[in-house]
Amino acid sequence: MDSDFKTPFSLQLFTKPSRLTITKTTSLKELPPSKNLIFGQTFSDHMLRIPWTDATGWGVPSIVPFSTINLPPSSTMLHYAQSLFEGMKAYRHADGTVTLFRPEMNMKRMNTSAQRLVLPTFNGNALIECIKALITIDRKWIPKEPGHSLYIRPTLIATNSTLVIAPPKEALLFVIACPVGPYYPQGFKPVPLYGTTEYIRAAPGGIGAHKLAANYGPCVIAQKSAANQGYAQNLWLQGPGHWLTEAGTMNLFVVINGRGGVSELITPPLDGMILPGVTRDSVLALARNHVSGVKRLQGLPDTIKVSERPINMGEIIQSSKEGRLVELFGTGTAAVISPVERIGYNGGDVMIPTGEDGMGPVSRPLWTELVGIQTGAIKSDWNYVVAAK
């Protein structure tokens, strides 16, 4: 169906996927050896572009050779950070099938981010179909080696030329892709986090729950500070109570044994400061399905409490002193699950238990199930088929 575009910023659909135009490159790039891949450094041959104006609405989507984007120096995206993005992956299964993992979740979040910046929204299913066409054309860029994938980066920016702070009158939605290797090529290595109290990532009423470019640039100084003190990443602590929010750019989970002996899987609630991660939602769904008996996961404790609730450093320290702190891990598209070994806090380290393989008793079976689904070893409705074998 087509939009009528009479009301800017309430757009439901940019175009029919059948209107997609394709211009293939005449100079295909050489595929790099998978062992040499560095995240975000190598890009596939093509990209998807879809222009928008408030006068005419969404233009025709086109797949074109990967190239630069021309912007005037007065573009509002450059001056006022009217930019947002998503991150997702295409996986090649052992039988050759190519899938995306829960792409509708990314489309939903992208539209929510667009609404926050008063950028145009779109029909997520239509964009998925266009992304499917892009991945099909650049299918050779999906590495065949286990643990590898094609990272997909949909992006939406304001492109109009003005220094006036106002809703954008022109925008560009584009999608690029890059092959990536496993996050832990040598096996799991738990990371140390530095509890950041001198900077904040988000605040109530702010933009922490949206995947906006403005959320990420200001975080670099905190990450650099953590690295200078010998930590791999920072742990964002909110307010005087030092409430846990996120770990670097990942959502956060904590496992604590209750005084009654039942393990509790805890993640901070979506209170407007926490990004609603796709992996976060998947971990919660798998854990709750295990508890309810919909699908029991081998290795996961038979009885476990799943909670979305606030947790602060005081509770972490107390549970550690009492021997009830089981594990702490981050979740995200890049690493899926990233175990934590210690937290630098108030001049000392809070040690986090980890298993011989670097993971814990709760994160291990959850990671196994998630990766099994993403790679096709486990059948799931969460997989969107891009190309059959």
Side-chain angles (χ1 to χ4, degrees), residues 247-268:
T249 58
M250 296 183 292
N251 290 120
L252 188 68
F253 284 83
V254 182
V255 181
I256 295 176
N257 279 336
R259 290 185 173 88
V262 176
S263 295
E264 182 181 11
L265 175 65
I266 307 162
T267 191

Side-chain angles (χ1 to χ4, degrees), residues 287-296:
R288 285 171 173 152
N289 285 344
H290 173 80
V291 171
S292 66
V294 171
K295 184 178 183 183
R296 305 288 288 182

Side-chain angles (χ1 to χ4, degrees), residues 192-199 221-234 342 344-349:
L193 300 180
Y194 172 74
T196 298
T197 56
E198 58 269 43
Y199 304 103
I221 189 171
Q223 296 168 357
K224 183 178 180 181
S225 174
N228 289 340
Q229 298 177 71
Y231 297 90
Q233 191 52 272
N234 68 301
R342 58 189 169 96
Y345 180 70
N346 279 351
D349 281 337

Side-chain angles (χ1 to χ4, degrees), residues 157-360:
I157 62 174
T159 57
N160 46 303
S161 176
T162 179
L163 297 183
V164 176
I165 302 177
K169 294 183 179 297
E170 299 175 5
L172 175 67
L173 194 161
F174 65 91
V175 182
I176 56 178
C178 60
V180 295
Y183 196 81
Y184 296 105
Q186 306 301 327
F188 279 100
K189 184 179 180 180
V191 298
L193 300 180
Y194 172 74
T196 298
T197 56
E198 58 269 43
Y199 304 103
I200 64 169
R201 174 193 165 274
I207 58 175
H210 307 282
K211 207 166 180 66
L212 311 183
N215 267 337
Y216 291 82
C219 294
V220 174
I221 189 171
Q223 296 168 357
K224 183 178 180 181
S225 174
N228 289 340
Q229 298 177 71
Y231 297 90
Q233 191 52 272
N234 68 301
L235 171 64
W236 295 104
L237 301 176
Q238 176 67 26
H242 294 173
W243 299 95
L244 281 68
T245 58
E246 296 191 5
T249 58
M250 296 183 292
N251 290 120
L252 188 68
F253 284 83
V254 182
V255 181
I256 295 176
N257 279 336
R259 290 185 173 88
V262 176
S263 295
E264 182 181 11
L265 175 65
I266 307 162
T267 191
L270 300 180
D271 56 3
M273 292 187 290
I274 306 294
L275 187 73
V278 177
T279 310
R280 174 190 183 275
D281 183 85
S282 302
V283 165
L284 287 171
L286 291 177
R288 285 171 173 152
N289 285 344
H290 173 80
V291 171
S292 66
V294 171
K295 184 178 183 183
R296 305 288 288 182
L297 301 186
Q298 184 177 0
L300 198 61
D302 290 336
T303 304
I304 187 171
K305 180 181 179 181
V306 182
S307 301
E308 294 180 74
R309 67 168 178 85
I311 181 170
N312 64 8
M313 282 303 299
E315 185 174 355
I316 295 291
I317 293 171
Q318 186 64 32
S319 62
S320 176
K321 289 180 178 177
E322 296 175 356
R324 297 186 296 108
L325 182 59
V326 177
E327 63 174 312
L328 190 150
F329 58 92
T331 62
T333 299
V336 183
I337 285 178
S338 179
V340 175
E341 66 173 7
R342 58 189 169 96
I343 299 172
Y345 180 70
N346 279 351
D349 281 337
V350 180
M351 303 307 295
I352 312 296
T354 57
E356 291 184 1
D357 61 354
M359 304 197 78

